[in-house]
Amino acid sequence: MTDSHRDLAAHAREKFGAAITAVLESAGQLTLEVRREGLVELCRTLRDDPAFAFEQLIDLCGVDYLEYGRAAVEGSDDPAGGPSGGAHSAVREPVLVPERRFAVAYQLLSLKHNRRLRLRAYLDDELPIVASVSGVWNSANWYEREAFDLFGIVFEGHPDLRRILTDYGFVGHPFRKDFPLIGQVEMRYDAEKQRVVYEPVSIEPRVLVPRVIREEGFAKG
């Protein structure tokens, strides 16, 4: 960990205490895993405290860790997950899946200190819900709507939480890992009704590309 990251992490632990559950560094970026309770107050401090001065939220996204690194690849002992075949074919042992499925990641930027920080808050699986930070950073408004639309994450206190990318009446959340790749409905123009109609998909689900499981970095979170 760099000196800058070490100082930032130490100040964050001193300031927030048990609100921080883990400190990670990967690919040159510092990540603080935080509890979702009290998230808004924590973010406001990260913005207003001169030692942090994270004036900008440059991105916010949902994450679905369903079966993250868990499935084994049949007939493969290749670290990249490709088929090897022959007498050395094997089924790799599954990698442990994270205990929590959904998370929200926040990418912060401090212009004053010229550094970045990522926050990650894990959510409940049944009803992923977290407080909105749109009152701290205005840019969170549309980002949170995207995460709500695509992952079904509810941002409590958002001023206008509704879909932003999918069609009106869309059922489900397309970025969830258990959402079918072919979707659930197809649309066509009906000449008799003179309008677009939605119908169940008529094609058979199939997988044409073998799944590749990359194990590097799983232990680091």
Side-chain angles (χ1 to χ4, degrees):
M1 185 177 293
T2 65
D3 292 340
S4 176
H5 286 172
R6 188 177 296 106
D7 294 342
L8 176 58
H11 184 58
R13 284 192 180 278
E14 179 183 357
K15 194 75 174 182
F16 304 121
I20 298 177
T21 59
V23 177
L24 309 168
E25 185 183 56
S26 178
Q29 184 176 26
L30 181 67
T31 298
L32 301 181
E33 291 187 356
V34 300
R35 301 184 187 278
R36 62 173 183 158
E37 298 81 8
L39 177 66
V40 175
E41 292 75 11
L42 184 146
C43 289
R44 187 171 286 112
T45 300
L46 288 175
R47 183 196 65 182
D48 297 340
D49 189 325
F52 295 121
F54 288 102
E55 309 98 334
Q56 292 189 11
L57 171 72
I58 59 176
D59 194 17
L60 179 157
C61 65
V63 187
D64 183 357
Y65 287 106
L66 180 67
E67 296 186 353
Y68 178 65
R70 184 170 64 183
V73 179
E74 295 185 5
S76 172
D77 55 3
D78 185 343
S84 59
H88 299 288
S89 297
V91 177
R92 292 183 308 185
E93 290 296 323
V95 179
L96 293 178
V97 68
E99 298 178 359
R100 294 151 297 184
R101 175 177 175 181
F102 294 105
V104 178
Y106 306 80
Q107 303 286 349
L108 309 181
L109 173 65
S110 171
L111 297 175
K112 177 180 178 180
H113 299 296
N114 189 28
R115 62 188 178 192
R116 300 172 185 266
L117 175 68
R118 181 174 72 160
L119 302 180
R120 178 166 56 191
Y122 285 99
L123 314 176
D124 293 336
D125 291 355
E126 296 299 326
L127 179 60
I129 182 170
V130 67
S132 170
V133 296
S134 58
V136 180
W137 298 287
N138 290 333
S139 59
N141 191 308
W142 280 26
Y143 293 147
E144 290 178 346
R145 285 181 60 187
E146 289 178 350
F148 167 71
D149 190 356
L150 301 178
F151 290 93
I153 297 173
V154 176
F155 293 88
E156 194 172 30
H158 190 284
D160 187 23
L161 192 61
R162 55 192 171 94
R163 291 185 182 272
I164 191 172
L165 295 175
T166 57
D167 198 3
Y168 298 108
F170 189 91
V171 177
H173 305 284
F175 274 19
R176 288 192 175 189
K177 297 295 180 62
D178 52 5
F179 190 87
L181 294 178
I182 61 173
Q184 297 174 336
V185 296
E186 60 187 28
M187 56 186 295
R188 65 177 178 84
Y189 180 77
D190 189 301
E192 294 183 359
K193 298 180 179 180
Q194 296 186 356
R195 63 178 177 85
V196 172
V197 296
Y198 292 85
E199 300 171 335
V201 291
S202 58
I203 61 176
E204 180 181 352
R206 56 179 179 168
V207 178
L208 301 179
V209 180
R211 184 176 180 183
V212 176
I213 299 176
R214 306 190 184 279
E215 297 179 352
E216 60 269 20
F218 284 171
K220 299 178 181 179

